[in-house]
Amino acid sequence: MGQRRFGTAEILLLLSILILVVVVAIPILLIFWNAFVVEGKPDFLRALALLKEPDTFEALKNSLVIAGGTTVLSTIIGVFFAWLVSRTDLPYKATMKVLFLVPFMLPSFIGALAWKILLSPRGGHINRLLMDLFHLEDPVFNIMSLGGIIAVETMYLFPFVFIQVSGALERMDPTLEEAARISGAGLFTITRRITLPLMMPSILAGALLVALYSLAHFGVPAILGTERNIFIIPTKIYEKIYASGGNFEAIRTGTMLSSILVLAAAAILYIQSLVLSSGRFQVISGKSMRPMVLKLRGLKWPLLILSVLYIAITVVLPTATIFLVGTLKTYGLAFRLENMTLDNFTYILFKWELTRDAIWNSFYLSLSAAAVTMLIGTLISYVLVKTKIRGKFLLEFLGVLPFSVPGTVIALGVILMWSGRFGINLYNTAWIIFVAYIARYMAFALKSTSAALEQVHDSLEEAARACGATKWQAMRDVVLPLIKPGMVAAFFLIFLPALRELTTSVLLYGPHTRTIGVAIYTLNEDGETVYAAALAAIALVIIMAGQLLIKRVTRAKIESA
Amino acid sequence: MATVTLSHVTKRFGGVTAVRDLDLEIQDGECFSMLGPSGCGKTTTLRMLAGFEDLDEGEIRVGDRVFSNSSKRYYLPPEKRDFGMVFQAFAVWPHLDIFDNVAFPLQIKGLSRAEIQTRTRRALEDTGLLKVQHAYPGELSGGEKQRIALARAIAINPQVMLLDEPLSNLDPKLREEMRFEIKDLQRRLGFTIVFVTHDQAEAMAISDRMMVMRDGVLQQVGSPIEIYERPSSRFVFSFIGLSNFLPVETREGATFVQGAPEAGPLAVVRPKGLPDAAWTLACRPTHIDLQAEGGLRGTVARRVYLGDLVEYRIRVGPHELRIQKGARHEVFQEGAPVGLTFRHYLGYPEG
């Protein structure tokens, strides 16, 4: 108590600032420094000249096309299905709603792997089947193209829009639409003039998240594009860093491209905050009422079939493919029982050091990163939400950074920071992945713990203090138990994505620090398709088990990060 | 003519009957309130009127036109009914400014630009919103939002105005003010009002006639005075104001309180038509007089000073009665014996 100038709150603030500076701010600064400072002097012209080189320019262009295409397509599909499950009398709505979220759980690079197996121009199973059936000379589909990458990204990213829009449609006060109806407007007019405009912020929020992810994702374009010389920013950075053996110009190009990614992400987040903060879209009602439902009549069953088919094609087909290919004795054999074996799985799980290590690495890295990040996140959120001290704005600024840093950029940043420049060399150790994970997933932890803390009204803590509890007792006995669900949610929000992480670890792995994602990716690169699929199948089993575990452990609603 | 007629209207949600066999006639130009505790079916009735809910049985007519008919499965959609409606949570559209909110129904009707202008302006003028017509709802207070909703509802000059607890989201002072404004608009524009509320004082203040519902069943229809003075059942009596219920028994002309014969006989006459000797005496707190001597004997259990009123809790045997007296009334101390006489009372069958 009292007016001490330097109390616990100040120590916590400094600690929080310090952590964010070391983990996030300095790596980003180093990227900008490397990109724009040559021999101690700022040099933007040479930096810009690098971008004009054909291959980097091409990567930028592809990024734009893929992010744009994926965003538009995901928005259309997401809005349509969200509307279908929340505003129509589609049969089995509740089940369909859960099913539309399943693509979220599938790592998109595993999906890409499956689609490559099914639809690559010459070897793809579906292409071969169609060519045999109709005696065609040329393959029907080519998934290894810009269009193919957009299609696969959309399959696994559209739930961002779906969640936002279906949530908003459900929370929206139904009398807003009823008022339009009683004013004489028909359903079509209401949708166009009332519902859609009111949904715009949610649609935009979802669309911007899709844009952010499709810009920063490594997996899908790496698996479907690299072989065909289709690069986007993250895969170009990877290529520069690896192909060039780490020469200075290559790293500079990498940092330049990273800077663009950071700026693009920051711009996207800025637009999002502008959209969400304009108060013209407060549509949430206090009462829960049944919203207006459109009777689909004759279209009821066709639309259900369409939805089920969509899930079957985007989720069941690729998953089944991964499991089936994982059992083949050799890739290329027909899917017949005599060609199948479970030995691949035992080999991967117990005998092969590379995959065994990968599974173990992913496990302990995600577990420890999730635990540590969750705790740090709670600390920072506590300072942000619950204290009123000077200098907090600094933390508020730093706290926004983790949200705008794509995985590739973090990887490059930690390479620059922890490769001996400051006396510590973590390169090729698991530690460098660990630090990168903390930076990468800090945003998740901040989001869910600060949401939990905001739910705990100050008066609850004050009531404990009034009952004679010290600050620490109040914290331990009142605040912590109340935010525990938020902390558990944060833990799982980090643990599960980290388990299947590829974008960051692919730039950081050493000979003995492959993660599951990296192992699948490199096995596929080396042509070990069967083992790549088998390991992916194991990853899918782990992810599904983890999702079930989350459901049992937290009943708290987990919003998408 | 906009006489609203409901015949044998029934609505079920799953196994629950929300409205049961409701017959009702709301007169042209009348202000009619539907009153009842939450879940009594009053809002469902209004929503059936508006066309948002189908009927399981029965028919709704406006004038001589059928709006809903369950056996013919005919339902005029809400957008074709030409009603005005004001919702509890205002339901003003946050993405449109005040002018566009109010002009919306006129635009939907496809009126000319000039006519939309004049009629919107008139509605805004009638509700005192002309000054803020280019503001957005987010910038306005609850009372102003409710005015927007009102303006939007009157813009099309509806014959019937449906109001779904329009005042319950406002603070008490504003509520009273809006009540007058709604009445005033009705007088000037002449529409029929169907008003849903759970607040009996509000219903009495605004209505020409009102009805009380409970568990989907109509309890009583009548003018506010009829309903207040002659509630048809114990439920209506208790719902419509503060109430005391005292179980009594009349034998050979003398009435005693059940369980407290020592308190003496009551100077009341058992109303005709009650089935048993035992009955329930119902009385408002302001309709009981206190005196030092005589009357029904009781003890002052508690006395609370309420400013212009003093409220007593009087114990009579195992029962407790609530009595309100003007502040300048003779004061009885807590613990003191008092006598009660009942100025106005009603009798209901026991239970």
Side-chain angles (χ1 to χ4, degrees), chain B residues 120-310:
Chain B
T120 307
R121 278 185 71 90
R122 197 187 310 143
L124 289 169
E125 224 162 338
D126 281 341
T127 46
L129 287 170
L130 210 50
K131 271 177 295 180
V132 286
Q133 58 171 319
H134 296 302
Y136 279 85
E139 303 156 22
L140 301 182
S141 69
E144 285 169 312
K145 279 186 199 155
Q146 198 55 296
R147 280 209 181 92
I148 305 170
L150 255 172
R152 182 175 63 192
I154 61 172
I156 56 158
N157 252 330
Q159 290 192 297
V160 179
M161 177 82 93
L162 308 176
L163 303 169
D164 183 10
E165 306 218 13
L167 307 179
S168 63
N169 277 0
L170 305 178
D171 61 56
K173 227 185 129 192
L174 201 56
R175 211 178 289 174
E176 210 168 307
E177 203 176 297
M178 288 297 288
R179 211 153 70 190
F180 282 112
E181 267 178 57
I182 291 172
K183 258 319 238 200
D184 198 43
L185 279 172
Q186 187 200 13
R187 272 195 204 111
R188 273 188 285 155
L189 305 174
F191 44 75
T192 306
I193 290 184
V194 184
F195 187 96
V196 162
T197 179
H198 61 263
D199 181 338
Q200 40 92 15
E202 195 171 283
M204 294 215 276
I206 205 170
S207 319
D208 300 314
R209 281 194 315 144
M210 56 199 266
M211 71 165 183
V212 181
M213 280 184 93
R214 178 199 199 183
D215 297 337
V217 180
L218 173 69
Q219 305 287 309
Q220 192 174 0
V221 192
S223 70
I225 297 176
E226 276 165 5
I227 290 193
Y228 187 77
E229 305 243 301
R230 289 189 298 284
S232 64
S233 66
R234 186 185 158 142
F235 169 77
V236 176
F237 192 102
S238 69
F239 193 76
I240 213 73
L242 297 175
S243 48
N244 289 300
F245 294 109
L246 195 61
V248 297
E249 200 169 344
T250 307
R251 296 227 180 267
E252 292 150 11
T255 304
F256 287 89
V257 176
Q258 290 179 31
E262 73 282 358
L266 290 83
V268 298
V269 179
R270 173 166 166 264
K272 287 187 186 108
L274 291 174
D276 304 315
W279 53 287
T280 301
L281 180 137
C283 189
R284 307 275 178 215
T286 47
H287 291 164
I288 303 175
D289 286 332
L290 296 180
Q291 63 218 58
E293 304 292 327
L296 179 71
R297 302 310 294 172
T299 323
V300 177
R302 241 164 6 102
R303 194 186 73 209
V304 185
Y305 179 67
L306 297 175
D308 45 357
L309 281 179
V310 177

Side-chain angles (χ1 to χ4, degrees), chain A residues 152-230:
Chain A
V152 174
E153 292 267 29
T154 301
M155 285 177 201
Y156 305 103
L157 289 179
F158 90 91
F160 276 122
V161 180
F162 177 82
I163 287 182
Q164 294 276 349
V165 176
S166 66
L169 278 172
E170 270 156 34
R171 284 193 309 270
M172 183 175 150
D173 182 350
T175 60
L176 287 169
E177 290 171 318
E178 289 177 355
R181 212 151 170 216
I182 205 85
S183 302
L187 274 172
F188 180 72
T189 314
I190 297 175
T191 306
R192 189 172 56 86
R193 294 195 48 188
I194 307 291
T195 317
L196 270 181
L198 288 176
M199 287 300 110
M200 224 47 210
S202 310
I203 296 172
L204 238 116
L208 289 171
L209 276 175
V210 174
L212 196 61
Y213 273 72
S214 52
L215 262 183
H217 258 179
F218 171 83
V220 177
I223 287 172
L224 297 177
T226 304
E227 220 174 277
R228 295 278 161 136
N229 258 321
I230 300 171

Side-chain angles (χ1 to χ4, degrees), chain A residues 484-495:
Chain A
K484 213 171 89 186
M487 292 171 70
V488 174
F491 177 84
F492 281 105
L493 272 177
I494 298 166
F495 177 65

Side-chain angles (χ1 to χ4, degrees), chain A residues 173 175-176 178-186 189 193-194 197-198 280-283 287 290, chain B residues 47 50 52-53 77-79 83 85 87-89 91-95 104-105 107-108 136 152:
Chain A
D173 182 350
T175 60
L176 287 169
E178 289 177 355
R181 212 151 170 216
I182 205 85
S183 302
T189 314
R193 294 195 48 188
I194 307 291
L198 288 176
R280 286 188 192 162
F281 299 95
Q282 297 295 317
V283 292
K287 259 207 234 173
R290 286 158 301 131
Chain B
R47 291 176 61 80
F52 290 125
E53 303 286 353
E79 63 268 28
F83 286 162
M85 186 163 180
F87 297 86
Q88 182 176 9
V92 294
W93 301 302
H95 63 300
F104 184 86
Q107 292 166 352
I108 294 293
Y136 279 85
R152 182 175 63 192

Side-chain angles (χ1 to χ4, degrees), chain A residues 292-366:
Chain A
M292 257 189 342
V293 160
L294 176 75
K295 292 196 175 81
L296 294 171
R297 300 179 206 278
L299 282 174
K300 214 162 156 174
W301 295 100
L303 281 172
L304 178 68
I305 291 167
L306 175 81
S307 310
V308 171
L309 263 180
Y310 180 85
I311 296 293
I313 291 174
T314 59
V315 177
V316 181
L317 182 63
T319 310
T321 307
I322 290 292
F323 277 89
L324 283 176
V325 171
T327 60
L328 286 178
K329 284 179 181 149
T330 314
Y331 188 60
L333 291 176
F335 292 120
R336 254 179 269 136
L337 215 51
E338 68 258 31
N339 293 336
M340 295 182 178
T341 169
L342 290 177
D343 291 349
N344 297 341
F345 295 106
T346 45
Y347 180 65
I348 275 178
L349 278 172
F350 306 110
K351 297 198 183 113
W352 196 6
E353 206 187 341
L354 184 143
T355 50
R356 221 176 49 196
D357 277 358
I359 294 171
W360 170 238
N361 288 336
S362 270
F363 250 105
Y364 81 80
L365 275 169
S366 351

Side-chain angles (χ1 to χ4, degrees), chain B residues 31 44 66 81 104 149 233 281 301 316:
Chain B
C31 180
T44 307
V66 174
R81 295 194 175 204
F104 184 86
S233 66
L281 180 137
V316 177

Side-chain angles (χ1 to χ4, degrees), chain A residues 429-558:
Chain A
T429 69
W431 285 104
I432 198 163
I433 301 178
F434 176 72
V435 220
Y437 277 6
I438 292 178
R440 174 146 198 212
Y441 294 114
M442 184 60 75
F444 293 13
L446 287 177
K447 193 165 180 168
S448 93
T449 55
S450 68
L453 276 162
E454 270 155 21
Q455 297 281 307
V456 181
H457 197 272
D458 286 349
S459 65
L460 293 175
E461 204 178 334
E462 286 160 8
R465 298 293 298 278
C467 293
T470 64
K471 185 116 185 122
W472 290 113
Q473 283 170 326
M475 178 83 195
R476 189 193 61 200
D477 296 335
V478 176
V479 180
L480 271 181
L482 285 171
I483 63 166
K484 213 171 89 186
M487 292 171 70
V488 174
F491 177 84
F492 281 105
L493 272 177
I494 298 166
F495 177 65
L496 283 177
L499 209 52
R500 62 194 222 196
E501 209 287 329
L502 173 63
T503 305
T504 303
S505 50
V506 80
L507 277 164
L508 298 175
Y509 76 92
H512 300 287
T513 57
R514 279 185 175 83
T515 59
I516 295 180
V518 171
I520 296 172
Y521 177 69
T522 51
L523 283 173
N524 172 57
E525 288 285 275
D526 299 343
E528 298 278 9
T529 310
V530 168
Y531 287 121
L535 184 56
I538 290 169
L540 287 179
V541 170
I542 296 172
I543 288 163
M544 284 177 218
Q547 291 286 351
L548 289 177
L549 193 68
I550 288 192
K551 272 230 168 107
R552 297 197 62 169
V553 174
T554 71
R555 248 175 294 155
K557 213 174 179 180
I558 297 167

